mmCIF file of all heavy atoms in Angstrom:
data_model
loop_
_atom_site.group_PDB
_atom_site.id
_atom_site.type_symbol
_atom_site.label_atom_id
_atom_site.label_comp_id
_atom_site.label_asym_id
_atom_site.label_seq_id
_atom_site.Cartn_x
_atom_site.Cartn_y
_atom_site.Cartn_z
ATOM 1 N N THR P 950 12.529 -7.041 -4.238
ATOM 2 C CA THR P 950 12.124 -8.033 -3.245
ATOM 3 C C THR P 950 10.889 -8.772 -3.728
ATOM 4 O O THR P 950 10.528 -8.725 -4.903
ATOM 5 C CB THR P 950 11.885 -7.346 -1.866
ATOM 6 O OG1 THR P 950 11.745 -8.347 -0.862
ATOM 7 C CG2 THR P 950 10.695 -6.422 -1.878
ATOM 8 N N HIS P 975 0.329 5.540 13.962
ATOM 9 C CA HIS P 975 1.191 5.225 15.106
ATOM 10 C C HIS P 975 1.845 3.859 14.969
ATOM 11 O O HIS P 975 2.880 3.605 15.573
ATOM 12 C CB HIS P 975 0.429 5.349 16.427
ATOM 13 C CG HIS P 975 -0.750 4.449 16.549
ATOM 14 N ND1 HIS P 975 -0.636 3.167 17.012
ATOM 15 C CD2 HIS P 975 -2.054 4.645 16.239
ATOM 16 C CE1 HIS P 975 -1.833 2.605 16.988
ATOM 17 N NE2 HIS P 975 -2.705 3.479 16.533
ATOM 18 N N SER P 982 10.442 7.508 7.188
ATOM 19 C CA SER P 982 10.054 8.037 5.875
ATOM 20 C C SER P 982 9.262 9.337 5.986
ATOM 21 O O SER P 982 9.071 10.021 4.987
ATOM 22 C CB SER P 982 9.207 7.007 5.120
ATOM 23 O OG SER P 982 7.916 6.873 5.707
ATOM 24 N N ALA P 985 10.276 14.276 4.602
ATOM 25 C CA ALA P 985 10.793 14.247 3.230
ATOM 26 C C ALA P 985 12.150 14.943 3.109
ATOM 27 O O ALA P 985 12.972 14.556 2.280
ATOM 28 C CB ALA P 985 9.793 14.896 2.278
ATOM 29 N N LEU P 990 16.266 14.026 -3.254
ATOM 30 C CA LEU P 990 15.532 13.617 -4.449
ATOM 31 C C LEU P 990 16.432 12.800 -5.378
ATOM 32 O O LEU P 990 17.633 13.051 -5.472
ATOM 33 C CB LEU P 990 14.995 14.841 -5.187
ATOM 34 C CG LEU P 990 13.969 15.676 -4.420
ATOM 35 C CD1 LEU P 990 13.589 16.908 -5.221
ATOM 36 C CD2 LEU P 990 12.737 14.856 -4.092
ATOM 37 N N LYS P 1056 -6.565 5.282 6.031
ATOM 38 C CA LYS P 1056 -6.202 5.397 7.439
ATOM 39 C C LYS P 1056 -7.165 6.352 8.133
ATOM 40 O O LYS P 1056 -7.586 7.354 7.548
ATOM 41 C CB LYS P 1056 -4.760 5.915 7.592
ATOM 42 C CG LYS P 1056 -3.716 5.106 6.823
ATOM 43 C CD LYS P 1056 -3.634 3.663 7.287
ATOM 44 C CE LYS P 1056 -2.504 2.883 6.679
ATOM 45 N NZ LYS P 1056 -2.654 2.480 5.313
ATOM 46 N N CYS P 1096 -13.167 -4.298 -7.217
ATOM 47 C CA CYS P 1096 -12.062 -4.070 -6.279
ATOM 48 C C CYS P 1096 -11.960 -5.245 -5.313
ATOM 49 O O CYS P 1096 -12.955 -5.678 -4.729
ATOM 50 C CB CYS P 1096 -12.306 -2.774 -5.506
ATOM 51 S SG CYS P 1096 -10.988 -2.326 -4.363
#
Side-chain angles (χ1 to χ4, degrees):
T950 191
H975 60 87
S982 71
L990 296 176
K1056 306 298 187 285
C1096 183

